[in-house]
Amino acid sequence: MSPENKDRVISVTLGVAAIFFTALAFASSIFGGKEGENQRYWILAGVISSAIAVYVGNSERVRLSAYRDKMKRLATQAERNYENLVANLAPSAAQAAVIADRTLPSGEQGVRRGRLDQSIAVGVSEIGEGARGIFYSWDSTTRVFKLVSQWPASAIPEIDSGESAYSALELIAKDGMVLVRGNTASPFNRTTPSTPDERVAVVQVKVNKTVIGILAMDGKMPPFAPGSGFTDRDVRELLLYADLLAAALGAD
């Protein structure tokens, strides 16, 4: 007998037993309330059947509690398995080099890199519903972030040191900090007046020991979203895309 059928048989048996002994306890209470030579037997039967009905109900409660605990353990294990899968998917530089070299002939490096950048932006946009993927290059000398790829469109073309968001983005680029913020105005939009109804996540893109830019995702705050707007899993996936982009660009 399969575990599912066994569980179904146990549930049905306990249910029938609970109904039977509850009914018997009810009948015993009726007859036990009438005087007669069998009154004490009916009272005894009522006490016993009531006890059995309570025991059956408690057994079912214990089974349901154990079932819920099992489901929680399985859910936790599934979460760990997913995290391990995401971690193991991070490509090595050698793997990324193979992917990049086979995309287009080496003479068309600029086209190859553009296709890769845009693919990463599209992938990032699919992390969260309504999200946009954005890749900005960064020049530490000119102190300018320049838009390289985005999906969908409408991000501002560049962010210089005169912008209010520049300092925070520079810290992310230089120190590898991870920015995750909800209920804010995205620094990649230039709207007046700005309204704090968006979510933003930004990570560093570093090739070998050189920071080349930042990879970000933003979008409107969805209903019932966590305070940061993005979950820990969303941020881990963004970091995975940043590693993929860095590895592929470093292979050129």
Side-chain angles (χ1 to χ4, degrees):
M1 181 182 295
S2 66
E4 292 81 5
N5 289 335
K6 182 179 179 180
D7 186 71
R8 190 177 296 111
V9 169
I10 293 174
S11 296
V12 171
T13 302
L14 289 175
V16 171
I19 294 173
F20 174 78
F21 286 107
T22 300
L24 180 59
F26 178 74
S28 299
S29 66
I30 294 176
F31 291 105
K34 298 179 180 180
E35 294 185 0
E37 59 180 11
N38 295 323
Q39 184 181 31
R40 65 177 181 275
Y41 297 114
W42 283 113
I43 293 175
L44 180 61
V47 171
I48 294 174
S49 56
S50 296
I52 294 176
V54 170
Y55 175 79
V56 170
N58 186 66
S59 298
E60 183 64 14
R61 182 186 62 81
V62 171
R63 286 185 66 255
L64 290 176
S65 178
Y67 181 78
R68 283 194 296 268
D69 291 341
K70 181 180 179 181
M71 290 300 100
K72 288 180 180 178
R73 288 195 300 272
L74 290 175
T76 301
Q77 185 61 45
E79 178 73 13
R80 291 200 190 106
N81 291 340
Y82 174 83
E83 292 176 0
N84 291 334
L85 175 63
V86 170
N88 292 330
L89 282 175
S92 66
Q95 291 170 328
V98 173
I99 296 172
D101 287 340
R102 290 183 178 179
T103 304
L104 288 173
S106 58
E108 301 179 16
Q109 184 182 76
V111 177
R112 179 170 73 245
R113 289 186 60 165
R115 179 180 293 180
L116 174 65
D117 297 342
Q118 190 63 28
S119 298
I120 292 295
V122 172
V124 170
S125 72
E126 295 176 349
I127 292 177
E129 183 178 356
R132 173 178 58 182
I134 320 167
F135 171 47
Y136 280 89
S137 64
W138 180 60
D139 189 324
S140 59
T141 303
T142 61
R143 303 187 69 195
V144 173
F145 288 94
K146 289 187 177 181
L147 179 64
V148 178
S149 299
Q150 61 177 319
W151 185 266
S154 75
I156 58 178
E158 66 178 41
I159 302 172
D160 58 34
S161 56
E163 299 282 351
S164 59
Y166 180 86
S167 297
L169 297 178
E170 185 180 43
L171 282 176
I172 296 168
K174 291 172 62 176
D175 300 336
M177 296 174 59
V178 176
L179 171 68
V180 186
R181 187 175 298 168
N183 295 309
T184 188
S186 174
F188 310 115
N189 295 328
R190 187 174 285 132
T191 57
T192 305
S194 61
T195 54
D197 61 348
E198 296 175 308
R199 52 182 176 164
V200 178
V202 189
V203 299
Q204 176 195 69
V205 179
K206 187 175 184 180
V207 175
N208 299 322
K209 296 183 179 181
T210 304
V211 177
I212 64 170
I214 54 174
L215 186 63
M217 58 182 174
D218 65 1
K220 294 294 182 181
M221 282 287 292
F224 312 111
S228 62
F230 291 106
T231 65
D232 292 341
R233 177 183 294 183
D234 295 336
V235 177
R236 286 195 297 271
E237 291 188 25
L238 180 63
L239 289 166
L240 174 62
Y241 275 110
D243 289 342
L244 174 59
L245 179 59
L249 294 181
D252 284 334

